[in-house]
Amino acid sequence: MSNPESWFQQTPKWIWWSFVPAFGGLAIAYAGQKTRTNPWIALGLGITVAAFILSQTEIAAIIWLGQIGTAFALKKSFLIKTYPQTLALPEEAEIAKLIVAKRGKKDFNTCSKDDLVNGLGLPIVYANDIESARNEGYIFTHLEELSEVIGIPQQTINKIAGQVIFTYDIKQESDVSWRRLNTYSVEQLIAANIEPEAANKIVLERLERGEYKSVMDVKKRTKLPLNSYRHII
């Protein structure tokens, strides 16, 4: 399947197996085994046992219709549970939320380009820029940086907001990233090609209110445009 829409339009083969009299309940048990959903396994086996015991009664037809109806009722949940890791999330928010809960969140600082494109659904141009920034030592700490640093539209950021986390090693990045804004003196910032006025403002704000928590924290507190210190982050 190449897109989310076609994935949810399909009907898994096991659903058609549910049409088999007496044995159709095993199709539901199979779906449970495939998705590691024990209640489905128990339900499927229970239907199968009941179908055998009551096969010579009028209730057999009701059980047969019931197993078919149950299979179709579980179809959407099955497709959500088996949604491919490499397929971008669907537009429907509720379904996307359920898929994310199953997948687990991706670490934006360590995930692969394939995860960025196929897992998060980001255009390749943004994935390339993100990879380039990470290769140069940049460590992302906040969603807003994706807009400020990479230029990703806010609508796209909102879509992936619940899918990502930001982890980092503070010691590893203290001398090669934006965290230099927490340690450099005014003179060192000026030596790093930051304008004197901006350097003074960065250090003064840091001394008055404590260390910066992220690039966006620097921007919000100093009111300085990102371009004034972009080359140091």
Side-chain angles (χ1 to χ4, degrees):
M1 298 292 170
S2 60
N3 59 71
E5 289 72 23
S6 60
W7 176 260
F8 285 102
Q9 288 171 358
Q10 67 172 311
T11 299
K13 290 181 179 180
W14 66 267
I15 288 182
W16 303 119
W17 300 344
S18 70
F19 281 77
V20 179
F23 293 99
L26 294 177
I28 298 171
Y30 167 80
Q33 186 274 330
K34 189 77 173 177
T35 59
R36 298 181 181 180
T37 308
N38 290 332
W40 293 8
I41 297 175
L43 176 61
L45 294 177
I47 290 175
T48 303
V49 171
F52 269 105
I53 294 175
L54 302 172
S55 60
Q56 302 302 316
T57 69
E58 295 179 354
I59 299 178
I62 297 176
I63 294 175
W64 178 65
L65 292 174
Q67 69 192 29
I68 295 172
T70 300
F72 276 96
L74 296 177
K75 172 185 172 181
K76 185 176 181 179
S77 293
F78 177 83
L79 292 174
I80 289 174
K81 290 175 180 288
T82 57
Y83 196 81
Q85 289 281 347
T86 57
L87 198 58
L89 290 178
E91 294 294 333
E92 190 173 335
E94 284 304 314
I95 293 180
K97 185 177 180 180
L98 292 172
I99 293 171
V100 169
K102 179 188 73 69
R103 279 182 175 179
K105 297 185 178 182
K106 299 185 185 301
D107 186 341
F108 209 84
N109 288 313
T110 60
C111 67
S112 66
K113 185 189 293 187
D114 183 67
D115 287 331
L116 294 173
V117 175
N118 295 313
L120 297 177
L122 293 177
I124 186 66
V125 62
Y126 294 135
N128 286 336
D129 288 345
I130 291 166
E131 185 178 56
S132 177
R134 294 190 308 194
N135 288 341
E136 293 176 9
Y138 188 84
I139 298 178
F140 295 91
T141 61
H142 197 281
L143 280 171
E144 291 182 25
E145 294 174 36
L146 305 184
S147 173
E148 295 288 347
V149 178
I150 304 299
I152 298 177
Q154 189 60 46
Q155 183 178 2
T156 302
I157 293 174
N158 292 341
K159 185 177 179 181
I160 68 171
Q163 305 176 56
V164 297
I165 57 174
F166 300 89
T167 62
Y168 51 88
D169 184 341
I170 293 178
K171 293 181 180 179
Q172 182 180 8
E173 67 164 335
S174 60
D175 293 324
V176 295
S177 74
W178 69 270
R179 286 189 177 275
R180 286 177 287 183
L181 299 176
N182 277 330
T183 58
Y184 276 19
S185 65
V186 172
E187 292 74 19
Q188 287 175 309
L189 290 175
I190 294 174
N193 296 320
I194 292 180
E195 292 295 324
E197 183 179 352
N200 276 288
K201 197 165 189 177
I202 289 169
V203 173
L204 181 61
E205 173 65 22
R206 186 183 75 209
L207 292 174
E208 289 182 351
R209 298 178 56 194
E211 292 187 349
Y212 300 107
K213 297 178 180 179
S214 69
V215 172
M216 296 314 302
D217 191 36
V218 178
K219 184 175 184 293
K220 290 176 180 178
R221 286 167 55 181
T222 63
K223 309 300 182 186
L224 292 170
L226 190 62
N227 285 336
S228 64
Y229 50 89
R230 182 187 293 274
H231 54 283
I232 202 174
I233 62 176

